[in-house]
Amino acid sequence: MENIVRITDLWQARKQNSKQTIEMVLMDQTGSKIGATLWQELFIELRDKLQCGSSYLIQNLRIVDNQSEYRVSPAPYLVYFLKTTSVKEIHRPEIPSNVYLITPFTDIISGLVPRHTLVDIVGVVVDLIDVKTVNPPHRMTVRLRDNSNCDILITVWEDYAIQLHDAIDKNLLL
């Protein structure tokens, strides 16, 4: 199988079996997204080749049913990188840097949005609930308000917590 995709998000995670992974969101030129996992056994071969924002020709991925508790997209599948997976960075300006489908907070609260699936939201930070940015694992919980004056609590982890904390410290958000 051959795919031309852009990596729109990339982060490290630890699975329940204590194995390290690199998790990604891959997006094609239509804006369709799917989750991808690179297991620690393949870090040496592929980790340095994969960068958020870059586009790639990727061959030989395994497509599996998405049994994950948390999903990066509503797609019923995700992909695994294999020992035989080849990755070649290519310039593809027709693949946008990202496509955002903004979800109203009321849709989240009312249950219209599938639970445990990442969604795109826009809001203003109105309150800091919990901040832990000194020692890993870093985490930050904030209250957000959208343009319909609806509030939700969100928690961001690791690099996202540090980025949000730095932005608030620089008075970019509050």
Side-chain angles (χ1 to χ4, degrees):
M1 179 177 157
E2 180 177 295
N3 298 286
I4 299 175
V5 295
R6 183 174 309 280
I7 298 174
T8 63
D9 208 347
L10 181 144
W11 65 97
Q12 283 199 233
R14 183 176 302 275
K15 296 293 185 180
Q16 290 177 352
N17 59 8
S18 294
K19 286 191 175 185
Q20 289 277 339
T21 63
I22 295 176
E23 301 294 322
M24 291 164 268
V25 179
L26 306 179
M27 184 181 70
D28 67 15
Q29 67 186 19
T30 70
S32 295
K33 296 179 181 179
I34 191 167
T37 298
L38 173 67
W39 293 95
Q40 71 184 28
E41 295 84 7
L42 301 175
F43 279 10
I44 293 172
E45 293 89 2
L46 296 173
R47 178 176 30 197
D48 294 337
K49 294 181 180 181
L50 302 168
Q51 295 182 359
C52 188
S54 295
S55 54
Y56 298 91
L57 169 64
I58 302 177
Q59 297 174 300
N60 298 325
L61 293 166
R62 174 184 289 156
I63 300 172
V64 298
D65 288 331
N66 191 345
Q67 302 295 323
S68 297
E69 181 179 0
Y70 299 99
R71 296 179 179 213
V72 299
S73 81
Y77 306 104
L78 57 87
V79 295
Y80 288 157
F81 285 73
L82 307 168
K83 287 187 185 280
T84 57
T85 299
S86 68
V87 175
K88 180 181 178 186
E89 187 172 0
I90 57 175
H91 180 68
R92 286 297 164 102
E94 68 272 17
I95 302 177
S97 59
N98 208 334
V99 172
Y100 299 100
L101 302 172
I102 306 303
T103 302
F105 292 0
T106 54
D107 288 359
I108 296 168
I109 294 166
S110 68
L112 289 175
V113 177
R115 291 183 54 90
H116 307 296
T117 301
L118 297 182
V119 294
D120 300 317
I121 58 173
V122 174
V124 175
V125 176
V126 294
D127 195 14
L128 298 174
I129 306 299
D130 181 45
V131 178
K132 183 178 179 269
T133 57
V134 177
N135 294 315
H138 306 296
R139 132 184 121 247
M140 183 175 229
T141 301
V142 297
R143 180 181 315 281
L144 290 182
R145 181 168 296 144
D146 70 5
N147 61 0
S148 69
N149 217 26
C150 186
D151 290 5
I152 62 170
L153 297 181
I154 66 161
T155 300
V156 292
W157 296 85
E158 298 300 344
D159 290 343
Y160 299 107
I162 293 168
Q163 290 170 20
L164 180 59
H165 186 262
D166 290 347
I168 291 170
D169 277 355
K170 294 175 185 171
N171 290 318
L172 295 176
L173 296 178
L174 288 180

